[in-house]
Amino acid sequence: MTPQEILSELRSVLDDLAPGVKLDEAHLDTRLSEVGYDSLDLANFLLAIDEKYGVKISDDEAVELGTLRGYSRHIAEKTA
Amino acid sequence: MVSLRAIGSFIPERLIDNLGLKDRFGVSEDFIRDKIGVVTRPVMAPGWDTADLATASIKALVEKEGLDLATVDCLVVCTQNPEGRGLPHTSAIVHGRLGLDEGCAAFDISLGCSGYVYGAALIQSFMEANGLERGLFVTADPYSKVVSPDDKNTALLFGDAATASLFDAADDASRPAWRVTRARLGTIGREWAALAVDAEGVLHMNGREIFNFAAVKVPVEIEHLLREADLTLGAIDLVLLHQASKYMVDTLQKRLKLPPHKVPFEAGAVGNTVSSTIPLLLERRLADPKLSRLLLSGFGVGLSIASCILERKAA
């Protein structure tokens, strides 16, 4: 899958997990915590990535990646 | 046959208002109400200890049920924060304070959030195996003894409470009678460090590890339990989960693909009371004639997980 396809899927995952948070195109390079996702949403998001793509992301990696685009690229690299 | 007949509970009057702590921990009111789900938390009175809570819950049960304590021949206390330093066992102290009979078996079991399911299965089997007639199973695990008020991960979550469940072998149609008909009990000991008290006596929790454990393991264990019992979720009236947090219960409800009303969260005023969360949910439901089959699941410290089917016996 391309990073763009993964990004699209991750947006759906986040919409399901936290429908109250508005995520749009302008937020793709914004840290998810700054978009409005809290620590519980992010823990659930990281679990969803593990279950969907088989990619485990450590707490340190999550801090480093941070944005939706960052997660998408990372998953694309790990699953290439 | 031994059955669960009634539950009494004790919730301390002293309440901590979590909303008053939101600025200190940098969280919003929505996060407290909708994610943690705990708005107030009871804390036992200064000078109180675990045996006080346990004894108060038994007194509540006695008042409610008119129970004659002289007839009790089994007392089990579930706690990991025992009275004093844990020697002697809390059940012995409670036994002494209530003046129970010298022929009454009394022992503690060391389990956290899975403790009610383990304990219910245990006391039912233990009483039947040993011909005992009337048993009390108490949950009393005051985390206020180990939670740091400065720890964002735990300080807004836990509340103190105790419950006492009456199990008896009497042929009494005047009270509801429920039995554990199937249980699945397990442990992932290699991950124990995710929730533990350190050398200084302070609780530490890796929230992400605990979340992953519960979100993944609980639905799988429930599925296995139902298969073993030759049942489906459609045959279960309610799923009563350990009230870890609102977000945890909501997540599991979605993963189980059940409507919210079948997986209640009711810990908003009392918090996560560890092994007491499930009996607090059960207490107000035992006499509900519309309910005949419940599924209970407790999970947490250990990492331990226990699920069971609880069925009402036909009158």
Side-chain angles (χ1 to χ4, degrees):
Chain A
M1 292 179 80
T2 66
Q4 194 56 39
E5 288 168 332
I6 293 169
L7 191 145
S8 173
E9 288 187 348
L10 291 184
R11 285 184 68 167
S12 298
V13 168
L14 282 168
D15 286 344
D16 284 346
L17 291 181
V21 180
K22 192 174 179 320
L23 178 69
D24 57 36
E25 291 291 327
H27 294 134
L28 302 185
D29 294 303
T30 306
R31 299 192 71 79
L32 293 178
S33 55
E34 291 166 18
V35 177
Y37 297 101
D38 58 45
S39 57
L40 293 171
D41 297 325
L42 293 174
N44 211 350
F45 179 59
L46 296 174
L47 175 61
I49 289 173
D50 186 3
E51 293 183 319
K52 196 173 177 67
Y53 303 103
V55 175
K56 291 188 190 305
I57 296 174
S58 69
D59 290 341
D60 288 344
E61 285 174 324
V63 170
E64 199 177 310
L65 297 170
T67 68
L68 198 55
R69 205 184 304 276
Y71 283 113
S72 306
R73 286 181 181 149
H74 180 77
I75 294 165
E77 282 170 20
K78 292 287 180 186
T79 55
Chain B
M1 288 202 300
V2 171
S3 308
L4 168 62
R5 296 295 194 160
I7 297 174
S9 62
F10 177 79
I11 294 170
E13 287 179 4
R14 184 177 160 220
L15 293 176
I16 306 291
D17 176 17
N18 271 352
L19 297 179
L21 298 171
K22 65 183 172 60
D23 294 337
R24 178 176 172 181
F25 288 111
V27 295
S28 67
E29 181 170 339
D30 287 349
F31 185 78
I32 290 174
R33 288 187 186 280
D34 302 332
K35 294 296 184 65
I36 297 176
V38 176
V39 179
T40 57
R41 295 174 287 116
V43 177
M44 63 183 175
W48 272 49
D49 205 337
T50 310
D52 298 300
L53 283 179
T55 303
S57 71
I58 294 174
K59 286 181 176 170
L61 177 68
V62 167
E63 194 168 317
K64 192 161 134 183
E65 295 297 315
L67 178 69
D68 178 5
L69 285 175
T71 63
V72 171
D73 53 13
C74 181
L75 171 65
V76 181
V77 174
C78 178
T79 189
Q80 290 185 320
N81 287 287
E83 177 85 3
R85 300 185 69 172
L87 197 161
H89 41 299
T90 301
S91 53
I93 296 168
V94 174
H95 179 286
R97 286 189 189 169
L98 293 173
L100 300 185
D101 188 84
E102 290 184 9
C104 171
F107 58 94
D108 292 1
I109 58 172
S110 172
L111 284 162
C113 306
S114 64
Y116 190 76
V117 176
Y118 260 97
L122 179 136
I123 194 169
Q124 182 179 292
S125 305
F126 178 79
M127 288 177 65
E128 288 178 350
N130 294 286
L132 302 177
E133 292 288 322
R134 184 153 293 127
L136 300 177
F137 172 42
V138 173
T139 58
D141 209 348
Y143 266 34
S144 62
K145 291 174 72 170
V146 292
V147 167
S148 163
D150 300 321
D151 180 12
K152 185 178 175 181
N153 281 343
T154 56
L156 299 172
L157 211 48
F158 295 99
D160 294 343
T163 70
S165 295
L166 170 65
F167 286 78
D168 74 26
D171 190 16
D172 173 9
S174 69
R175 276 198 285 230
W178 294 80
R179 278 184 60 79
V180 175
T181 53
R182 189 97 197 182
R184 264 184 76 86
L185 312 165
T187 314
I188 306 178
R190 65 181 176 276
E191 294 178 14
W192 66 265
L195 183 54
V197 169
D198 66 16
E200 280 73 47
V202 177
L203 183 77
H204 292 275
M205 179 174 76
N206 182 324
R208 186 178 163 197
E209 280 189 41
I210 295 294
F211 176 81
N212 287 352
F213 155 70
V216 172
K217 196 71 180 168
V218 171
V220 171
E221 284 295 299
I222 287 177
E223 187 187 330
H224 286 170
L225 172 67
L226 290 168
R227 199 180 306 138
E228 288 170 3
D230 199 20
L231 293 169
T232 64
L233 268 178
I236 303 295
D237 296 323
L238 287 176
V239 175
L240 302 183
L241 298 177
H242 165 55
Q243 308 279 285
S245 68
K246 185 173 188 300
Y247 193 74
M248 191 74 256
V249 172
D250 288 350
T251 297
L252 288 170
Q253 169 253 316
K254 287 174 193 157
R255 284 180 162 247
L256 290 166
K257 297 182 172 54
L258 287 170
H261 72 271
K262 290 207 56 166
V263 191
F265 177 80
E266 296 173 1
V270 293
N272 177 342
T273 53
V274 196
S275 49
S276 295
T277 67
I278 291 175
L280 286 174
L281 289 173
L282 259 182
E283 179 181 11
R284 62 192 80 120
R285 293 181 165 91
L286 287 181
D288 184 343
K290 295 190 295 296
L291 301 175
S292 60
R293 187 184 288 127
L294 306 172
L295 192 153
L296 318 181
S297 187
F299 46 86
V301 59
L303 301 179
S304 176
I305 182 163
S307 307
C308 76
I309 308 284
L310 190 68
E311 296 193 66
R312 182 193 292 275
K313 271 170 55 180

